[in-house]
Amino acid sequence: MNNMVRNNYRMGGYLLLALGLINWQYQNNDADVVTRSLLIVIPGVVVILMTFIKPLDSFLASRVGMSVVTVIGALLVGLSFLN
């Protein structure tokens, strides 16, 4: 996979990580904030790690990988705004 595509995935992972941590900070009085925030943070970390592992990096370069990560990422960004 070329570096530009890899960097786009990493930026998406960093986006999820940041949104999850911001959600955690701003809703720290809610009882379920840890669960909801980790639901956003963990996939972000997984996407970042996938860009460093060669077989998973190849999956991300595939059409199916792009579709799966895009749909899940968009749903998680939406979830972060609805929380």
Side-chain angles (χ1 to χ4, degrees):
M1 175 180 345
N2 67 27
N3 284 335
M4 185 167 175
V5 174
R6 186 175 296 121
N7 286 338
N8 288 341
Y9 280 117
R10 287 183 186 156
M11 289 301 118
Y14 292 135
L15 170 71
L16 292 175
L17 179 63
L19 287 174
L21 293 175
I22 289 168
N23 186 44
W24 195 330
Q25 177 63 32
Y26 280 102
Q27 296 185 15
N28 60 2
N29 293 330
D30 287 350
D32 295 331
V33 69
V34 174
T35 304
R36 288 192 315 257
S37 294
L38 287 178
L39 185 67
I40 300 166
V41 168
I42 291 173
V45 172
V46 169
V47 169
I48 294 168
L49 291 176
M50 285 175 74
T51 64
F52 291 105
I53 301 170
K54 191 69 172 169
L56 298 177
D57 190 43
S58 299
F59 170 73
L60 290 176
S62 71
R63 193 174 201 88
V64 173
M66 286 182 192
S67 299
V68 168
V69 171
T70 301
V71 168
I72 291 173
L75 289 173
L76 290 172
V77 168
L79 175 68
S80 73
F81 286 116
L82 294 176
N83 271 329

